[in-house]
Amino acid sequence: MNTSNPQAGHLNALTTRQTRALFGLIVTTLVAAAVACASGSFDISLWALLKGNASALEQSVFNQIRVPRVLLSGLVGASLGLSGAALQGLFRNPLADPGLIGVSAGAALGAALIIVLGSQFAVGATLGAFLLPVAAISGAALVILLLYIMTRGFGYQGVTYMLLVGIAVNALASVGIGVLTYISDDAELRSLTFWSMGSFGGVTWPLLVPALLAITVALLMMAPAARALDLLQLGEVEASRLGVDIVRLRYRVIFSAAAAVGASVSLSGMIGFVGLIVPHLVRLIGGVNHRYLLPGSALAGAGLLISADLLARTLIQPAELPVGLITSAVGSPFFLWLIFRMQKL
Amino acid sequence: MTISAAAVAVEIDGKCLLNDVPLCIEPGQIIAVVGPNGAGKSTLIAAIAGDITPTEGIIRHHDNDLQTLSFLDRAAIRSVMAQSQSVVYDFSVLDIIAMGWVRGRDGESARQFGAAVSAIVEECAIAELLGRTFNSLSGGEQRRVHFARALMQLWRPRGSANSAYLLLDEPTANLGLAHEVRLLKKLTALAADGIGILLVVHDLNIAAKFADKIALLHSGRMTCIGAPKDVLTAERLSKVFEIPISIDPNPLTIKYY
């Protein structure tokens, strides 16, 4: 790097502040993950585990319950945070959030269809594990397609337009879920209710694997879009003048957001506001460039949901709160504050 | 190695915005597009830039049909400074300027980036704006930054053989006098370096003073194209702009240039 030239590194590198922010987020997320693995209604000594003199019970709680759960909450948080950041960039709308614009609701409807009607299809357990995420991803993709049509190809129509569409989509999806609730039997109703409030409980490795795959692929697909998303903030015409193929960028971001959100919803239900809050916090800490914002939002989302899940299962132990309740409790006042601050828009 | 348009027509929603327009920009040439409001000046820039596809006719960049060129290829050939843009998030001025860099991000081109930024920041006199957020700038300051970004996109290592083109739509709008003069001088210098320039201007004096050729548009048609003294006749201008216009070869000349 040219030292006589302070701007020389600006092309690819993160600023010092952004590097520090990312480093801080990594540390915070790891600490949160370690604490979350150790605590709960049954405390595990990580130190004993490392030394290898933990009891068999501690071992199995750690391997079969805590690690998958923390891994899942981290991954779901990462995909919601990253999808929120990418959608806010793609739509040039600071209020875009997979939940608010109805994408999560579409995924939820897809998943609910399988939870209630899935028993009608005689499929094996392995295939069944894939069926739920596939249905949820399809639901998310359908909603994004609807948004595409409503905004005439994601043209910029003002910040509120897409939120209004989101309200309508959310209402439509809840009609669908309502009908499914009505026709479901007792067992289906139970799992539907628990699932729809958003929870990381009851995760097992076989359930985790398909969604893990979908989420990882989505995260990797999103990463190369960072510069194009930056350029897009100048407007679509300007971005294409600078060499961005807008249509391909849209497909990339939308497909990966649908996959990430769909897979997340299929495993943990609708967890609101993470995709909205996280990118804003990350921007406040270190700036708006997507090469920083995308990884930052993935990390912060992971850290946030791991912590929220830790609270959800320790606040009223041995009982458990739905994690969606906690994120909404934090997120909705934040949303109000955002609206208040953005009155000029 | 030119940018050319042959018999270009643009029709949007059944309204004919351009009709049978020819144009050829050669390296080192400044062409000013003038004409009354609604004459199709901005549409012409958009068609030449590749933002809109002409309904008829063909646009060539370096002998290639524009439609066959990828977005990146186009970005390497021509740079556009548009009328106005809004940016949603708080990007810094340096971020915005860096967005103009289309020359690759590794090795040699990444090293050239630093030199290009310093040179352009100095030429455009925007050093004091660099640390600020783009959205906090005034309209005129934003235009200066966009101009710097357009220059970043054009930047070439010394002695590079590839010709490049700069398209500008009302570049001097909102600019203070000093910055207007600086921008026009920079355009002249770019042309001397072999950059072909197409600019839309309202001020006929600027067009006459700085352009090698003037293209007069009227109701989507190219009324006349040629050297300023041939195109800008009192009779023709009066007819096109629908007000009496006289041309007076400098009684009292105020020169800023």
Side-chain angles (χ1 to χ4, degrees), chain A residues 26 54 164 207 247 270 344:
Chain A
I26 291 174
L164 295 179
L207 270 176
V247 176
M270 284 168 71
K344 60 179 191 287

Side-chain angles (χ1 to χ4, degrees), chain B:
Chain B
M1 297 291 261
T2 60
I3 284 188
S4 67
V8 163
V10 174
E11 203 177 287
I12 292 176
D13 296 334
K15 195 165 174 285
C16 185
L17 301 178
L18 281 183
N19 197 353
D20 195 21
V21 170
L23 190 71
C24 181
I25 318 166
E26 280 165 26
Q29 199 175 43
I30 300 182
I31 301 183
V33 182
V34 299
N37 289 337
K41 304 187 294 288
S42 296
T43 312
L44 179 62
I45 289 259
I48 300 261
D51 304 339
I52 50 178
T53 311
T55 357
E56 277 170 51
I58 187 163
I59 291 166
R60 290 192 182 83
H61 284 188
H62 289 178
D63 305 328
N64 300 303
D65 182 350
L66 177 62
Q67 301 306 320
T68 66
L69 290 175
S70 76
F71 288 96
L72 268 178
D73 290 339
R74 297 176 191 183
I77 297 173
R78 58 95 188 94
S79 161
V80 191
M81 180 186 169
Q83 271 180 329
S84 74
Q85 292 104 26
S86 62
V87 177
V88 181
Y89 302 105
D90 281 336
F91 283 90
S92 76
V93 169
L94 183 56
D95 287 333
I96 300 285
I97 295 174
M99 287 179 188
W101 191 253
V102 294
R103 301 183 56 76
R105 322 183 54 71
D106 313 305
E108 187 53 34
S109 48
R111 272 190 291 284
Q112 292 167 351
F113 172 83
V117 171
S118 326
I120 287 168
V121 162
E122 172 154 358
E123 278 167 13
C124 300
I126 50 173
E128 79 279 10
L129 305 179
L130 272 191
R132 292 175 56 187
T133 58
F134 183 77
N135 288 331
S136 71
L137 303 183
S138 72
E141 288 170 330
Q142 292 193 347
R143 294 193 65 73
R144 281 154 61 199
V145 172
H146 279 312
F147 183 62
R149 180 171 60 78
L151 293 185
M152 279 299 278
Q153 195 180 345
L154 283 179
W155 196 88
R156 270 143 185 72
R158 287 232 165 271
S160 163
N162 286 339
S163 49
Y165 298 85
L166 177 57
L167 317 175
L168 308 101
D169 196 349
E170 291 288 343
T172 53
N174 284 332
L175 284 190
L177 195 52
H179 294 296
E180 176 177 321
V181 172
R182 185 182 285 111
L183 184 141
L184 292 167
K185 274 187 175 160
K186 179 62 191 168
L187 291 186
T188 318
L190 286 171
D193 274 350
I195 305 277
I197 294 170
L198 182 71
L199 80 156
V200 168
V201 276
H202 270 297
D203 187 335
L204 296 174
N205 284 309
I206 289 180
K209 168 86 184 161
F210 285 93
D212 301 312
K213 269 188 179 180
I214 288 185
L216 182 61
L217 279 186
H218 183 41
S219 319
R221 284 183 175 275
M222 183 84 83
T223 310
C224 188
I225 180 163
K229 64 174 170 32
D230 300 331
V231 175
L232 301 178
T233 64
E235 191 192 346
R236 186 179 285 129
L237 293 181
S238 305
K239 199 177 145 204
V240 166
F241 286 93
E242 295 170 344
I243 49 158
I245 291 177
S246 69
I247 292 169
D248 200 347
N250 53 359
L252 165 68
T253 313
I254 302 174
K255 279 193 169 177
Y256 321 112
Y257 312 118

Side-chain angles (χ1 to χ4, degrees), chain A residues 215-239:
Chain A
I215 292 173
T216 315
V217 168
L219 299 190
L220 291 178
M221 273 191 65
M222 211 87 94
R227 178 173 156 83
L229 282 174
D230 275 355
L231 295 181
L232 191 62
Q233 304 317 310
L234 294 170
E236 294 187 357
V237 171
E238 281 301 306

Side-chain angles (χ1 to χ4, degrees), chain A residues 314-327:
Chain A
T314 49
L315 275 184
I316 52 164
Q317 12 185 353
E320 213 175 274
L321 284 167
V323 68
L325 194 66
I326 293 188
T327 60

Side-chain angles (χ1 to χ4, degrees), chain A residues 212-306:
Chain A
L212 239 159
L213 279 176
I215 292 173
T216 315
V217 168
L219 299 190
L220 291 178
M221 273 191 65
M222 211 87 94
R227 178 173 156 83
L229 282 174
D230 275 355
L231 295 181
L232 191 62
Q233 304 317 310
L234 294 170
E236 294 187 357
V237 171
E238 281 301 306
S240 67
R241 286 168 175 174
L242 287 163
V244 177
D245 188 335
I246 304 282
V247 176
R248 282 183 56 185
L249 175 68
R250 276 185 198 141
Y251 283 136
R252 176 183 281 276
V253 171
I254 281 166
F255 177 79
S256 31
V261 172
S264 301
V265 168
S266 76
L267 278 179
S268 54
M270 284 168 71
I271 296 173
F273 295 104
V274 177
L276 177 76
I277 310 175
V278 163
H280 282 279
L281 289 180
V282 175
R283 278 194 206 97
L284 278 179
I285 304 172
V288 295
N289 320 62
H290 284 86
R291 63 173 176 264
Y292 153 77
L293 182 64
L294 294 184
S297 298
L299 283 169
L304 186 78
L305 261 198
I306 290 173

